[in-house]
Amino acid sequence: MAFLAGLLALLAAAVAAAFRRIRRRLPSPAAGFFHPYTNDGGGGERVLWCAVRAVQELRPGLPCAVFTGDADASPDALAARALDRFGVRLLRPPQVVRLNKRKWIEASTYPHFTMIGQSLGSVYLAWEALNKFTPQFYFDTSGYAFTYPLARLFGCKVICYTHYPTISSDMVERVKQRSSMYNNDSRIAGSIWLSRGKILYYSIFSWLYGLVGSCAHLVMVNSSWTRSHIENIWRIPERTRRVYPPCDTSALQMLPLERPTTPPILISVAQFRPEKAHGLQLEAFAIALEKLGPEFPKPKLRFVGSCRNKEDLERLQKLKDRSTELQIDELVEFHKDISYRDLVQLLGGAVAGLHSMTDEHFGISVVEYMAAGAIPIAHKSAGPMMDIVLEEDGHQTGFLASQKEEYAEAIVKVLRMPEAERQEMAALARKRAQRFSEKRFHEDFTDAVRPILSATSE
Protein backbone atom coordinates (compact mmCIF):
# COMPACT_ATOMS: atom_id res chain seq x y z
CA MET A 1 0.00 0.00 0.00
CA ALA A 2 2.84 2.38 0.88
CA PHE A 3 4.50 1.50 -2.43
CA LEU A 4 1.31 2.33 -4.35
CA ALA A 5 0.94 5.64 -2.51
CA GLY A 6 4.54 6.50 -3.29
CA LEU A 7 4.05 5.62 -6.95
CA LEU A 8 0.98 7.82 -7.20
CA ALA A 9 2.86 10.65 -5.50
CA LEU A 10 5.70 10.37 -8.02
CA LEU A 11 3.21 10.32 -10.89
CA ALA A 12 1.44 13.39 -9.55
CA ALA A 13 4.78 15.16 -9.15
CA ALA A 14 5.75 14.29 -12.74
CA VAL A 15 2.44 15.61 -14.08
CA ALA A 16 2.77 18.80 -12.03
CA ALA A 17 6.32 19.32 -13.32
CA ALA A 18 5.15 18.82 -16.90
CA PHE A 19 2.39 21.38 -16.41
CA ARG A 20 4.88 23.89 -14.96
CA ARG A 21 7.07 23.47 -18.03
CA ILE A 22 4.05 24.04 -20.24
CA ARG A 23 3.11 27.22 -18.43
CA ARG A 24 6.65 28.61 -18.84
CA ARG A 25 6.56 27.99 -22.59
CA LEU A 26 5.37 31.02 -24.55
CA PRO A 27 3.10 30.26 -27.52
CA SER A 28 4.43 31.16 -30.97
CA PRO A 29 2.75 34.15 -32.65
CA ALA A 30 0.83 32.01 -35.12
CA ALA A 31 -2.59 30.51 -35.85
CA GLY A 32 -2.77 26.73 -35.60
CA PHE A 33 -5.72 24.86 -37.15
CA PHE A 34 -6.45 21.50 -35.51
CA HIS A 35 -7.88 19.50 -38.43
CA PRO A 36 -6.53 15.90 -38.28
CA TYR A 37 -8.21 14.89 -41.57
CA THR A 38 -7.37 17.40 -44.30
CA ASN A 39 -8.51 15.08 -47.08
CA ASP A 40 -12.10 14.32 -46.07
CA GLY A 41 -13.47 16.35 -48.99
CA GLY A 42 -16.54 17.58 -47.08
CA GLY A 43 -17.94 20.89 -45.92
CA GLY A 44 -15.67 20.85 -42.88
CA GLU A 45 -12.60 20.92 -45.09
CA ARG A 46 -14.02 23.86 -47.05
CA VAL A 47 -14.49 25.73 -43.75
CA LEU A 48 -10.85 25.00 -42.89
CA TRP A 49 -9.45 26.53 -46.06
CA CYS A 50 -11.79 29.51 -46.05
CA ALA A 51 -10.90 30.14 -42.39
CA VAL A 52 -7.16 29.95 -43.15
CA ARG A 53 -7.58 32.41 -46.00
CA ALA A 54 -9.64 34.78 -43.84
CA VAL A 55 -6.97 34.77 -41.10
CA GLN A 56 -4.24 35.35 -43.70
CA GLU A 57 -6.11 38.37 -45.02
CA LEU A 58 -6.92 39.76 -41.57
CA ARG A 59 -3.37 39.26 -40.19
CA PRO A 60 -1.02 39.08 -43.22
CA GLY A 61 2.07 38.70 -41.05
CA LEU A 62 0.66 35.91 -38.89
CA PRO A 63 1.91 32.41 -39.84
CA CYS A 64 -0.77 29.75 -40.23
CA ALA A 65 -0.14 26.08 -39.47
CA VAL A 66 -2.35 23.03 -39.97
CA PHE A 67 -2.22 20.07 -37.58
CA THR A 68 -2.94 17.01 -39.75
CA GLY A 69 -2.42 13.28 -39.65
CA ASP A 70 -2.33 12.88 -43.43
CA ALA A 71 0.99 11.35 -44.44
CA ASP A 72 1.07 13.02 -47.85
CA ALA A 73 0.33 16.53 -46.55
CA SER A 74 2.83 19.24 -47.42
CA PRO A 75 2.42 23.04 -47.60
CA ASP A 76 2.24 23.13 -51.39
CA ALA A 77 0.03 20.01 -51.60
CA LEU A 78 -2.50 21.44 -49.14
CA ALA A 79 -2.60 24.80 -50.94
CA ALA A 80 -3.12 23.00 -54.25
CA ARG A 81 -5.86 20.84 -52.74
CA ALA A 82 -7.69 23.88 -51.37
CA LEU A 83 -7.73 25.37 -54.87
CA ASP A 84 -8.47 22.20 -56.83
CA ARG A 85 -11.17 20.72 -54.59
CA PHE A 86 -12.82 23.87 -53.26
CA GLY A 87 -11.74 26.79 -55.42
CA VAL A 88 -10.10 28.49 -52.40
CA ARG A 89 -6.84 30.26 -53.25
CA LEU A 90 -4.70 30.72 -50.13
CA LEU A 91 -2.43 33.77 -49.93
CA ARG A 92 0.46 31.41 -49.09
CA PRO A 93 0.82 27.70 -48.29
CA PRO A 94 0.26 26.85 -44.62
CA GLN A 95 2.87 25.27 -42.41
CA VAL A 96 2.25 21.59 -41.73
CA VAL A 97 2.51 19.96 -38.31
CA ARG A 98 2.20 16.24 -38.96
CA LEU A 99 0.49 14.10 -36.33
CA ASN A 100 1.41 10.44 -35.80
CA LYS A 101 -1.20 9.43 -33.25
CA ARG A 102 -4.38 9.98 -35.29
CA LYS A 103 -5.53 6.40 -34.72
CA TRP A 104 -6.63 7.49 -31.23
CA ILE A 105 -9.49 9.53 -32.70
CA GLU A 106 -10.68 6.91 -35.18
CA ALA A 107 -14.03 5.32 -34.39
CA SER A 108 -12.67 1.85 -35.23
CA THR A 109 -10.30 2.14 -32.24
CA TYR A 110 -13.29 2.15 -29.88
CA PRO A 111 -15.89 -0.56 -30.72
CA HIS A 112 -17.74 0.45 -27.53
CA PHE A 113 -18.13 3.83 -25.79
CA THR A 114 -16.99 5.43 -29.03
CA MET A 115 -17.81 9.03 -28.13
CA ILE A 116 -15.84 9.16 -24.93
CA GLY A 117 -13.04 7.11 -26.47
CA GLN A 118 -12.63 9.46 -29.42
CA SER A 119 -12.94 12.49 -27.15
CA LEU A 120 -10.19 11.34 -24.79
CA GLY A 121 -8.16 10.22 -27.79
CA SER A 122 -8.41 13.76 -29.20
CA VAL A 123 -6.78 15.06 -26.01
CA TYR A 124 -3.86 12.69 -26.54
CA LEU A 125 -3.59 13.80 -30.17
CA ALA A 126 -3.74 17.47 -29.17
CA TRP A 127 -0.98 16.81 -26.61
CA GLU A 128 1.22 15.60 -29.46
CA ALA A 129 0.21 18.58 -31.61
CA LEU A 130 0.81 21.28 -29.02
CA ASN A 131 4.11 19.79 -27.89
CA LYS A 132 5.32 19.92 -31.47
CA PHE A 133 4.04 23.46 -32.05
CA THR A 134 2.20 25.78 -29.68
CA PRO A 135 0.35 28.56 -31.54
CA GLN A 136 -0.94 31.72 -29.95
CA PHE A 137 -4.34 31.06 -31.54
CA TYR A 138 -5.69 27.51 -31.48
CA PHE A 139 -8.44 27.03 -34.08
CA ASP A 140 -10.46 23.83 -33.87
CA THR A 141 -12.36 23.29 -37.12
CA SER A 142 -13.21 19.62 -36.58
CA GLY A 143 -15.24 19.59 -33.38
CA TYR A 144 -12.78 18.22 -30.80
CA ALA A 145 -14.03 20.16 -27.78
CA PHE A 146 -12.18 18.00 -25.25
CA THR A 147 -8.93 19.55 -26.49
CA TYR A 148 -9.89 23.08 -25.37
CA PRO A 149 -8.82 22.86 -21.70
CA LEU A 150 -5.45 21.46 -22.82
CA ALA A 151 -4.99 24.23 -25.39
CA ARG A 152 -5.74 26.83 -22.71
CA LEU A 153 -3.23 25.13 -20.42
CA PHE A 154 -0.62 25.63 -23.15
CA GLY A 155 -1.52 29.33 -23.15
CA CYS A 156 -3.48 29.40 -26.41
CA LYS A 157 -6.51 31.50 -27.26
CA VAL A 158 -9.12 28.88 -28.19
CA ILE A 159 -11.35 29.60 -31.18
CA CYS A 160 -13.64 26.93 -32.60
CA TYR A 161 -15.97 26.48 -35.51
CA THR A 162 -18.53 23.89 -34.44
CA HIS A 163 -20.40 22.10 -37.21
CA TYR A 164 -22.55 20.05 -34.85
CA PRO A 165 -22.66 19.13 -31.17
CA THR A 166 -20.97 15.83 -30.33
CA ILE A 167 -24.04 15.05 -28.24
CA SER A 168 -27.46 16.68 -28.28
CA SER A 169 -30.83 16.38 -26.61
CA ASP A 170 -32.15 14.83 -29.84
CA MET A 171 -29.70 11.94 -29.47
CA VAL A 172 -30.76 11.37 -25.86
CA GLU A 173 -34.43 11.50 -26.85
CA ARG A 174 -33.96 8.83 -29.53
CA VAL A 175 -32.41 6.50 -26.95
CA LYS A 176 -35.30 7.18 -24.59
CA GLN A 177 -37.74 6.34 -27.40
CA ARG A 178 -35.57 3.30 -28.22
CA SER A 179 -35.29 4.30 -31.88
CA SER A 180 -32.78 2.33 -33.95
CA MET A 181 -30.43 4.53 -36.00
CA TYR A 182 -26.79 4.66 -37.10
CA ASN A 183 -25.79 5.94 -33.62
CA ASN A 184 -28.12 3.65 -31.65
CA ASP A 185 -27.99 0.05 -32.81
CA SER A 186 -30.98 -2.26 -32.72
CA ARG A 187 -29.60 -4.38 -29.86
CA ILE A 188 -29.58 -1.39 -27.49
CA ALA A 189 -32.86 -0.03 -28.85
CA GLY A 190 -34.48 -3.42 -28.17
CA SER A 191 -33.42 -3.55 -24.51
CA ILE A 192 -34.86 -1.30 -21.82
CA TRP A 193 -31.87 -1.89 -19.50
CA LEU A 194 -29.26 -1.23 -22.17
CA SER A 195 -31.19 1.89 -23.17
CA ARG A 196 -31.21 3.13 -19.56
CA GLY A 197 -27.49 2.47 -19.31
CA LYS A 198 -26.90 4.44 -22.50
CA ILE A 199 -29.00 7.33 -21.20
CA LEU A 200 -26.79 7.46 -18.08
CA TYR A 201 -23.68 7.34 -20.29
CA TYR A 202 -25.05 10.16 -22.46
CA SER A 203 -25.93 12.24 -19.40
CA ILE A 204 -22.41 11.99 -17.97
CA PHE A 205 -20.86 12.70 -21.36
CA SER A 206 -23.15 15.69 -21.92
CA TRP A 207 -22.01 17.21 -18.60
CA LEU A 208 -18.35 16.71 -19.53
CA TYR A 209 -18.97 18.11 -23.01
CA GLY A 210 -20.50 21.24 -21.53
CA LEU A 211 -17.54 21.65 -19.17
CA VAL A 212 -14.84 21.43 -21.86
CA GLY A 213 -16.80 23.43 -24.43
CA SER A 214 -17.13 26.36 -22.04
CA CYS A 215 -13.32 26.72 -22.17
CA ALA A 216 -13.46 28.25 -25.66
CA HIS A 217 -12.74 31.97 -25.95
CA LEU A 218 -14.89 32.20 -29.09
CA VAL A 219 -17.43 29.75 -30.47
CA MET A 220 -18.72 29.95 -34.03
CA VAL A 221 -21.58 27.66 -35.03
CA ASN A 222 -22.90 26.93 -38.48
CA SER A 223 -26.68 27.03 -38.06
CA SER A 224 -29.62 27.95 -35.86
CA TRP A 225 -30.04 24.29 -34.88
CA THR A 226 -26.42 23.94 -33.81
CA ARG A 227 -26.48 27.23 -31.93
CA SER A 228 -29.53 26.23 -29.89
CA HIS A 229 -27.88 22.97 -28.81
CA ILE A 230 -24.44 24.46 -28.13
CA GLU A 231 -25.85 27.33 -26.09
CA ASN A 232 -27.93 24.86 -24.09
CA ILE A 233 -24.94 22.58 -23.33
CA TRP A 234 -21.93 24.93 -23.18
CA ARG A 235 -23.86 27.84 -21.64
CA ILE A 236 -21.66 30.64 -23.01
CA PRO A 237 -24.11 32.49 -25.32
CA GLU A 238 -22.12 35.71 -24.97
CA ARG A 239 -19.17 33.99 -26.69
CA THR A 240 -21.25 32.17 -29.32
CA ARG A 241 -21.77 33.48 -32.85
CA ARG A 242 -23.70 31.98 -35.76
CA VAL A 243 -21.53 32.03 -38.88
CA TYR A 244 -23.05 30.23 -41.83
CA PRO A 245 -20.51 27.95 -43.55
CA PRO A 246 -18.98 29.00 -46.88
CA CYS A 247 -20.79 27.67 -49.92
CA ASP A 248 -19.56 28.25 -53.45
CA THR A 249 -22.56 30.23 -54.57
CA SER A 250 -20.62 32.64 -56.81
CA ALA A 251 -19.26 30.05 -59.27
CA LEU A 252 -22.39 27.92 -59.20
CA GLN A 253 -24.70 30.87 -59.83
CA MET A 254 -23.02 31.36 -63.20
CA LEU A 255 -24.56 28.09 -64.40
CA PRO A 256 -27.60 28.47 -66.70
CA LEU A 257 -30.98 27.54 -65.25
CA GLU A 258 -31.95 25.74 -68.45
CA ARG A 259 -31.21 22.04 -68.13
CA PRO A 260 -31.26 19.13 -70.57
CA THR A 261 -34.17 16.86 -69.72
CA THR A 262 -33.38 13.93 -71.98
CA PRO A 263 -32.78 12.33 -69.61
CA PRO A 264 -33.50 14.47 -66.54
CA ILE A 265 -30.70 14.20 -63.96
CA LEU A 266 -30.97 13.97 -60.17
CA ILE A 267 -27.82 14.46 -58.11
CA SER A 268 -26.80 13.56 -54.56
CA VAL A 269 -23.64 15.16 -53.16
CA ALA A 270 -22.42 13.78 -49.82
CA GLN A 271 -19.59 11.78 -48.32
CA PHE A 272 -20.29 8.05 -48.29
CA ARG A 273 -20.96 7.94 -44.56
CA PRO A 274 -23.77 6.02 -42.79
CA GLU A 275 -25.60 9.11 -41.53
CA LYS A 276 -26.03 10.43 -45.07
CA ALA A 277 -28.66 7.71 -45.68
CA HIS A 278 -27.87 7.10 -49.35
CA GLY A 279 -29.89 3.88 -49.24
CA LEU A 280 -33.07 5.83 -48.60
CA GLN A 281 -32.41 7.87 -51.74
CA LEU A 282 -31.95 4.74 -53.83
CA GLU A 283 -35.23 3.29 -52.62
CA ALA A 284 -37.06 6.59 -53.12
CA PHE A 285 -35.69 6.80 -56.65
CA ALA A 286 -36.93 3.27 -57.37
CA ILE A 287 -40.41 4.18 -56.10
CA ALA A 288 -40.40 7.37 -58.18
CA LEU A 289 -39.57 5.39 -61.32
CA GLU A 290 -42.64 3.23 -60.74
CA LYS A 291 -44.82 6.30 -60.20
CA LEU A 292 -43.56 7.96 -63.38
CA GLY A 293 -44.49 4.99 -65.48
CA PRO A 294 -42.89 3.53 -68.62
CA GLU A 295 -43.94 6.40 -70.89
CA PHE A 296 -41.91 9.02 -69.00
CA PRO A 297 -38.27 9.54 -70.04
CA LYS A 298 -36.11 7.56 -67.61
CA PRO A 299 -34.26 9.92 -65.24
CA LYS A 300 -30.78 9.25 -63.91
CA LEU A 301 -29.47 9.53 -60.36
CA ARG A 302 -25.83 10.54 -59.83
CA PHE A 303 -24.15 9.99 -56.47
CA VAL A 304 -21.13 12.23 -55.92
CA GLY A 305 -18.95 11.93 -52.81
CA SER A 306 -15.67 11.09 -51.19
CA CYS A 307 -14.48 8.09 -49.18
CA ARG A 308 -12.43 8.65 -46.04
CA ASN A 309 -11.45 5.07 -45.34
CA LYS A 310 -12.03 1.38 -46.03
CA GLU A 311 -15.44 1.44 -44.35
CA ASP A 312 -16.63 4.20 -46.69
CA LEU A 313 -15.40 2.23 -49.70
CA GLU A 314 -17.31 -0.82 -48.50
CA ARG A 315 -20.39 1.36 -48.00
CA LEU A 316 -20.09 2.62 -51.57
CA GLN A 317 -19.91 -0.94 -52.89
CA LYS A 318 -23.03 -1.88 -50.93
CA LEU A 319 -24.86 1.02 -52.56
CA LYS A 320 -23.83 -0.27 -55.98
CA ASP A 321 -25.02 -3.75 -55.02
CA ARG A 322 -28.31 -2.34 -53.76
CA SER A 323 -28.95 -0.48 -57.01
CA THR A 324 -28.51 -3.81 -58.81
CA GLU A 325 -30.95 -5.51 -56.43
CA LEU A 326 -33.50 -2.78 -57.13
CA GLN A 327 -32.88 -3.28 -60.87
CA ILE A 328 -32.05 0.39 -61.38
CA ASP A 329 -28.27 0.10 -61.75
CA GLU A 330 -28.40 1.26 -65.39
CA LEU A 331 -29.94 4.54 -64.21
CA VAL A 332 -27.58 5.15 -61.27
CA GLU A 333 -24.04 6.52 -61.49
CA PHE A 334 -21.37 6.83 -58.80
CA HIS A 335 -18.65 9.51 -58.90
CA LYS A 336 -15.98 9.15 -56.19
CA ASP A 337 -13.40 11.76 -55.17
CA ILE A 338 -13.88 13.99 -58.19
CA SER A 339 -12.37 17.45 -58.64
CA TYR A 340 -14.22 20.66 -57.85
CA ARG A 341 -14.41 21.48 -61.56
CA ASP A 342 -16.11 18.17 -62.32
CA LEU A 343 -18.53 18.70 -59.43
CA VAL A 344 -19.61 22.05 -60.85
CA GLN A 345 -20.18 20.44 -64.24
CA LEU A 346 -22.34 17.70 -62.73
CA LEU A 347 -24.37 20.17 -60.68
CA GLY A 348 -24.95 22.22 -63.81
CA GLY A 349 -26.73 19.30 -65.43
CA ALA A 350 -29.08 18.40 -62.55
CA VAL A 351 -32.72 19.42 -62.25
CA ALA A 352 -32.91 18.42 -58.58
CA GLY A 353 -30.60 17.53 -55.69
CA LEU A 354 -31.24 14.94 -52.98
CA HIS A 355 -30.30 15.16 -49.30
CA SER A 356 -31.48 12.69 -46.65
CA MET A 357 -29.46 13.05 -43.44
CA THR A 358 -31.54 13.36 -40.28
CA ASP A 359 -30.58 16.41 -38.19
CA GLU A 360 -27.94 17.61 -40.65
CA HIS A 361 -26.41 20.47 -38.70
CA PHE A 362 -26.42 22.72 -41.78
CA GLY A 363 -26.37 21.13 -45.23
CA ILE A 364 -23.84 22.74 -47.56
CA SER A 365 -24.81 20.40 -50.39
CA VAL A 366 -28.39 21.70 -50.20
CA VAL A 367 -27.16 25.26 -50.67
CA GLU A 368 -24.96 24.13 -53.55
CA TYR A 369 -27.98 22.58 -55.25
CA MET A 370 -29.89 25.83 -54.91
CA ALA A 371 -27.02 28.00 -56.14
CA ALA A 372 -26.48 25.72 -59.12
CA GLY A 373 -30.13 25.85 -60.13
CA ALA A 374 -31.07 22.33 -58.98
CA ILE A 375 -34.24 22.23 -56.90
CA PRO A 376 -33.44 20.81 -53.42
CA ILE A 377 -35.27 17.81 -51.98
CA ALA A 378 -33.91 17.76 -48.43
CA HIS A 379 -34.58 16.11 -45.09
CA LYS A 380 -37.22 17.81 -43.00
CA SER A 381 -35.05 18.56 -39.96
CA ALA A 382 -32.34 20.81 -38.51
CA GLY A 383 -30.38 23.03 -40.93
CA PRO A 384 -32.30 22.45 -44.17
CA MET A 385 -35.64 22.99 -42.42
CA MET A 386 -34.63 25.87 -40.09
CA ASP A 387 -32.20 27.88 -42.23
CA ILE A 388 -32.01 26.84 -45.88
CA VAL A 389 -35.12 25.55 -47.67
CA LEU A 390 -37.33 28.44 -46.63
CA GLU A 391 -39.54 30.68 -48.71
CA GLU A 392 -37.98 33.48 -50.74
CA ASP A 393 -40.18 36.46 -51.61
CA GLY A 394 -43.12 34.44 -50.32
CA HIS A 395 -42.56 31.52 -52.70
CA GLN A 396 -41.38 27.92 -52.32
CA THR A 397 -37.69 27.22 -52.96
CA GLY A 398 -37.67 23.42 -52.70
CA PHE A 399 -39.11 20.38 -50.95
CA LEU A 400 -38.68 18.79 -47.52
CA ALA A 401 -39.27 15.10 -46.80
CA SER A 402 -38.49 12.46 -44.20
CA GLN A 403 -39.83 9.12 -45.50
CA LYS A 404 -38.86 7.43 -48.77
CA GLU A 405 -42.42 7.78 -50.06
CA GLU A 406 -42.28 11.55 -49.46
CA TYR A 407 -38.97 11.74 -51.30
CA ALA A 408 -40.42 9.78 -54.21
CA GLU A 409 -43.43 12.12 -54.35
CA ALA A 410 -41.16 15.17 -54.40
CA ILE A 411 -38.99 13.65 -57.15
CA VAL A 412 -42.07 13.03 -59.27
CA LYS A 413 -43.30 16.59 -58.69
CA VAL A 414 -40.01 18.08 -59.87
CA LEU A 415 -39.74 15.82 -62.90
CA ARG A 416 -43.34 16.48 -63.98
CA MET A 417 -43.09 20.22 -63.33
CA PRO A 418 -43.51 22.44 -66.42
CA GLU A 419 -40.14 23.86 -67.45
CA ALA A 420 -41.15 27.48 -66.83
CA GLU A 421 -42.36 26.64 -63.33
CA ARG A 422 -39.19 24.66 -62.57
CA GLN A 423 -36.96 27.52 -63.68
CA GLU A 424 -38.98 30.00 -61.59
CA MET A 425 -38.54 27.89 -58.44
CA ALA A 426 -34.86 27.35 -59.28
CA ALA A 427 -34.34 31.11 -59.63
CA LEU A 428 -35.91 31.74 -56.21
CA ALA A 429 -33.78 28.99 -54.66
CA ARG A 430 -30.67 30.53 -56.22
CA LYS A 431 -31.57 33.91 -54.76
CA ARG A 432 -31.91 32.41 -51.29
CA ALA A 433 -28.56 30.64 -51.63
CA GLN A 434 -26.82 34.02 -51.75
CA ARG A 435 -27.31 34.21 -47.97
CA PHE A 436 -24.73 31.43 -47.57
CA SER A 437 -21.95 32.57 -49.88
CA GLU A 438 -18.20 32.43 -49.27
CA LYS A 439 -18.26 36.23 -49.19
CA ARG A 440 -20.82 36.18 -46.38
CA PHE A 441 -18.76 33.59 -44.45
CA HIS A 442 -15.62 35.68 -44.87
CA GLU A 443 -17.36 38.80 -43.54
CA ASP A 444 -19.02 37.07 -40.56
CA PHE A 445 -15.95 34.98 -39.68
CA THR A 446 -13.66 38.03 -39.83
CA ASP A 447 -16.04 40.09 -37.69
CA ALA A 448 -16.13 37.30 -35.10
CA VAL A 449 -12.36 36.68 -34.81
CA ARG A 450 -11.13 40.26 -35.28
CA PRO A 451 -11.46 41.27 -31.58
CA ILE A 452 -9.32 38.32 -30.44
CA LEU A 453 -6.72 38.47 -33.22
CA SER A 454 -6.45 42.26 -33.09
CA ALA A 455 -6.18 42.46 -29.30
CA THR A 456 -2.80 40.72 -29.45
CA SER A 457 -1.63 41.86 -32.89
CA GLU A 458 1.93 42.82 -33.41
Side-chain angles (χ1 to χ4, degrees):
M1 193 69 179
F3 172 76
L4 180 60
L7 187 62
L8 290 175
L10 286 173
L11 179 61
V15 171
F19 284 166
R20 285 196 297 270
R21 287 196 300 272
I22 290 171
R23 296 302 295 173
R24 287 198 298 267
R25 181 188 304 170
L26 293 176
S28 301
F33 293 81
F34 190 73
H35 203 100
Y37 297 91
T38 50
N39 62 352
D40 60 12
E45 190 183 346
R46 178 184 289 278
V47 166
L48 167 65
W49 300 128
C50 288
V52 171
R53 185 178 64 184
V55 171
Q56 288 179 340
E57 292 183 0
L58 180 61
R59 290 281 304 274
L62 187 72
C64 290
V66 176
F67 298 102
T68 175
D70 297 323
D72 58 348
S74 69
D76 290 338
L78 291 183
R81 178 179 174 82
L83 181 61
D84 180 57
R85 294 297 298 271
F86 301 101
V88 178
R89 186 182 299 276
L90 303 181
L91 300 188
R92 57 189 177 277
Q95 300 175 20
V96 173
V97 180
R98 189 165 287 105
L99 306 177
N100 301 316
K101 298 178 173 61
R102 193 174 65 180
K103 71 174 184 178
W104 297 108
I105 61 169
E106 293 175 359
S108 58
T109 305
Y110 311 98
H112 307 290
F113 301 101
T114 308
M115 278 196 313
I116 191 65
Q118 287 182 292
S119 297
L120 296 178
S122 71
V123 179
Y124 186 45
L125 188 63
W127 176 267
E128 178 195 5
L130 293 170
N131 270 293
K132 286 183 173 180
F133 181 69
T134 307
Q136 185 177 14
F137 306 102
Y138 174 87
F139 284 83
D140 168 41
T141 48
S142 293
Y144 294 105
F146 277 70
T147 67
Y148 303 167
L150 181 65
R152 289 194 70 151
L153 184 65
F154 272 82
C156 306
K157 292 288 186 180
V158 179
I159 303 169
C160 66
Y161 189 92
T162 303
H163 300 272
Y164 57 92
T166 303
I167 190 167
S168 67
S169 57
D170 295 339
M171 292 169 61
V172 178
E173 190 60 31
R174 289 194 193 102
V175 178
K176 288 181 178 179
Q177 294 176 356
R178 296 166 65 184
S179 301
S180 178
M181 283 189 68
Y182 63 89
N183 59 354
N184 190 43
D185 67 42
S186 57
R187 185 174 62 90
I188 293 177
S191 168
I192 185 171
W193 293 108
L194 289 176
S195 293
R196 286 178 178 176
K198 191 166 185 176
I199 291 170
L200 177 61
Y201 165 51
Y202 273 9
S203 298
I204 295 172
F205 184 88
S206 182
W207 178 81
L208 289 171
Y209 186 58
L211 187 65
V212 297
S214 66
C215 292
H217 292 91
L218 171 66
V219 179
M220 288 172 282
V221 295
N222 68 342
S223 68
S224 301
W225 182 85
T226 302
R227 181 172 64 181
S228 65
H229 284 286
I230 288 297
E231 288 184 349
N232 181 55
I233 300 173
W234 292 3
R235 301 186 183 280
I236 48 171
E238 71 283 357
R239 284 179 265 157
T240 304
R241 298 276 297 272
R242 185 184 65 188
V243 178
Y244 287 128
C247 307
D248 181 24
T249 56
S250 58
L252 295 174
Q253 288 189 21
M254 300 299 292
L255 296 168
L257 292 178
E258 297 82 5
R259 300 290 153 89
T261 55
T262 51
I265 304 295
L266 305 172
I267 194 169
S268 171
V269 181
Q271 292 175 308
F272 292 106
R273 294 160 53 176
E275 63 268 30
K276 299 301 182 180
H278 290 95
L280 183 149
Q281 297 176 17
L282 271 179
E283 294 181 9
F285 182 60
I287 296 172
L289 289 172
E290 294 180 1
K291 289 180 177 290
L292 289 169
E295 76 285 351
F296 195 88
K298 295 295 184 184
K300 285 191 173 182
L301 172 58
R302 289 172 174 164
F303 287 102
V304 183
S306 59
C307 292
R308 303 162 299 169
N309 47 40
K310 179 184 176 182
E311 288 74 21
D312 285 356
L313 288 170
E314 292 174 349
R315 198 169 291 113
L316 173 58
Q317 185 57 50
K318 287 180 181 179
L319 286 172
K320 293 178 180 179
D321 295 341
R322 181 57 178 157
S323 68
T324 301
E325 293 172 5
L326 293 170
Q327 299 181 345
I328 58 174
D329 51 299
E330 293 184 356
L331 301 175
V332 179
E333 299 176 4
F334 296 90
H335 300 263
K336 181 177 75 73
D337 297 331
I338 65 173
S339 69
Y340 174 74
R341 182 179 301 175
D342 290 339
L343 172 62
V344 171
Q345 185 177 358
L346 291 175
L347 284 168
V351 297
L354 301 182
H355 163 277
S356 54
M357 177 178 170
T358 301
D359 287 342
E360 174 85 88
H361 34 93
F362 180 70
I364 286 181
S365 64
V366 180
V367 175
E368 290 178 335
Y369 299 154
M370 297 166 77
I375 294 175
I377 303 174
H379 196 274
K380 192 176 181 180
S381 64
M385 181 179 70
M386 297 174 68
D387 290 313
I388 304 175
V389 190
L390 303 180
E391 289 188 351
E392 185 70 25
D393 298 334
H395 296 283
Q396 187 176 357
T397 60
F399 298 88
L400 295 170
S402 54
Q403 305 298 323
K404 60 184 179 182
E405 291 80 11
E406 296 173 325
Y407 277 94
E409 183 180 347
I411 290 171
V412 171
K413 283 183 179 179
V414 173
L415 295 181
R416 290 193 179 278
M417 196 178 287
E419 181 62 12
E421 183 180 343
R422 186 196 66 78
Q423 288 192 32
E424 182 181 0
M425 182 179 290
L428 289 166
R430 173 172 283 179
K431 181 179 179 181
R432 178 155 189 83
Q434 295 176 4
R435 301 169 185 263
F436 314 108
S437 65
E438 284 190 9
K439 181 176 182 293
R440 178 68 177 271
F441 171 85
H442 186 277
E443 293 171 351
D444 292 347
F445 181 91
T446 302
D447 287 344
V449 303
R450 181 182 284 111
I452 294 180
L453 268 63
S454 299
T456 50
S457 60
E458 296 176 347

